[in-house]
Amino acid sequence: QKEIDDKLKTSYANLNAWQKTQVARHEERPKAKFFIDSLFTNFINLSGDRRFSEDEAVLAGFAKFEGKSVLVLGQEKGEDLDSRLKRNFGMMRPEGYRKCIRLMKLANKFNIPVITFVDTPGAYPGIGAEQRGQAEAIASSIECCMSLKVPIISFIIGEGGSGGAIALASANKVLMFENAIYSVISPEGCASILWRDPTKSLEAARAMKLTAKELLKSKIIDEIIKEPIGGAHRNKEDVILSTKAMLTKYLEEFKQYTREEIL
């Protein structure tokens, strides 16, 4: 076991950007639903955008954290094939963003902090989503995040892909897991656009600076959450403890600000 741990430590210490992308996509990696179930009590899942339909790719609802009310929004990829299809692999449609906007406005009205868990390859690019105003829904979601007078704290737990991620990560504090990624496009997408060759994903990942270290250096995120040796999927309990500590710390910090100062 000790040898395995040492090997893990050395191999995970020097991961390149493309390897980190693969860790961020690991199918055993803790997902939003796991964080919601483990961190919060009395979670009430709320559905629908009151315009078109319900989007299963995002879990949204009010819950209690340490006895205080919070609004939780989590992009959920699903655990097995059936749930992944149901959740559309975490790719939200316009109605998902509109549901989040509806709930964020409600949280703002009742002075309830907003917590988001970002984990998506990107917003869904299907024709139906485009017809129903995908770009407008994402833009409105960013605008809504920016106009809140309650703290909004965002965790990038796996993949933070494109506008689909920033729609829920335009936050007061953006916290990112050590092996998560956050970028304007997936490495494969970037490689196929720039070089017309998806096999150049490694070069693309390196050029895009999508790792937590690079993003902290560029001041795009506020803090990195350490992961257990070998990635978050190897010790989920540890991950929950560190997430809880971060969340408590930042919710405490925002208590001293007025609503105007938060804005």
Side-chain angles (χ1 to χ4, degrees):
Q1 187 61 49
K2 191 178 180 307
E3 276 181 31
I4 292 171
D5 286 349
D6 290 344
K7 276 271 190 301
L8 274 175
K9 206 177 238 173
T10 46
S11 57
Y12 270 77
N14 306 308
L15 293 185
N16 64 36
W18 175 238
Q19 288 167 323
K20 286 216 167 166
T21 304
Q22 287 163 314
V23 178
R25 292 174 179 165
H26 195 289
E27 56 183 42
E28 296 291 308
R29 202 172 166 79
K31 312 272 193 310
K33 189 176 187 311
F34 173 75
F35 283 100
I36 292 171
D37 293 344
S38 310
L39 286 169
F40 306 99
T41 52
N42 300 16
F43 177 71
I44 298 162
N45 190 35
L46 297 170
S47 305
D49 65 342
R50 303 288 183 271
R51 292 187 196 183
F52 183 74
S53 76
E54 160 63 350
D55 187 351
E56 298 277 3
V58 60
L59 291 164
F62 291 95
K64 288 270 203 260
F65 177 73
E66 315 269 270
K68 301 275 193 302
S69 293
V70 289
L71 170 65
V72 188
L73 308 171
Q75 293 172 324
E76 173 61 35
K77 283 180 171 176
E79 297 297 331
D80 50 30
L81 187 61
D82 288 342
S83 64
R84 283 184 184 134
L85 288 169
K86 177 186 163 191
R87 306 252 178 231
N88 201 27
F89 299 88
M91 294 185 286
M92 287 166 67
R93 297 178 167 94
E95 41 278 16
Y97 294 110
R98 291 182 180 130
K99 167 169 77 170
C100 293
I101 292 167
R102 173 171 84 81
L103 297 177
M104 285 193 283
K105 286 180 173 167
L106 206 55
N108 197 40
K109 181 177 174 181
F110 293 106
N111 213 15
I112 293 169
V114 180
I115 294 145
T116 70
F117 293 96
V118 174
D119 188 11
T120 180
Y124 185 59
I127 190 162
E130 296 291 351
Q131 285 165 340
R132 293 193 300 278
Q134 183 68 291
E136 183 275 334
I138 290 171
S140 299
S141 183
I142 295 171
E143 183 185 33
C144 182
C145 290
M146 296 291 200
S147 66
L148 295 180
K149 291 182 176 181
V150 292
I152 168 166
I153 298 166
S154 207
F155 291 90
I156 294 160
I157 57 177
E159 277 187 281
S162 185
I166 205 166
L168 296 184
S170 305
N172 293 105
K173 293 287 173 197
V174 182
L175 314 167
M176 185 166 169
F177 281 84
E178 194 178 357
N179 293 317
I181 59 167
Y182 187 26
S183 68
V184 68
I185 191 173
S186 71
E188 299 93 322
C190 172
S192 60
I193 291 170
L194 292 185
W195 296 291
R196 300 186 186 280
D197 180 4
T199 57
K200 291 213 159 116
S201 302
L202 169 60
E203 287 94 318
R206 205 177 285 145
M208 292 195 309
K209 302 196 182 329
L210 43 66
T211 61
K213 267 187 192 147
E214 295 281 6
L215 292 163
L216 187 65
K217 221 184 281 176
S218 321
K219 296 192 165 69
I220 288 170
I221 60 169
D222 294 283
E223 200 164 336
I224 296 172
I225 301 173
K226 279 268 179 244
E227 286 186 30
I229 294 165
H233 52 282
R234 289 184 197 268
N235 188 341
K236 295 184 180 181
E237 281 62 45
D238 258 20
V239 170
I240 286 298
L241 290 174
S242 45
T243 310
K244 192 174 188 174
M246 280 284 184
L247 192 48
T248 311
K249 169 180 147 184
Y250 283 113
L251 284 173
E252 276 302 312
E253 184 187 311
F254 280 108
K255 278 185 183 163
Q256 55 188 332
Y257 296 116
T258 65
R259 281 171 68 91
E260 294 308 318
E261 285 171 329
I262 287 169
L263 177 67

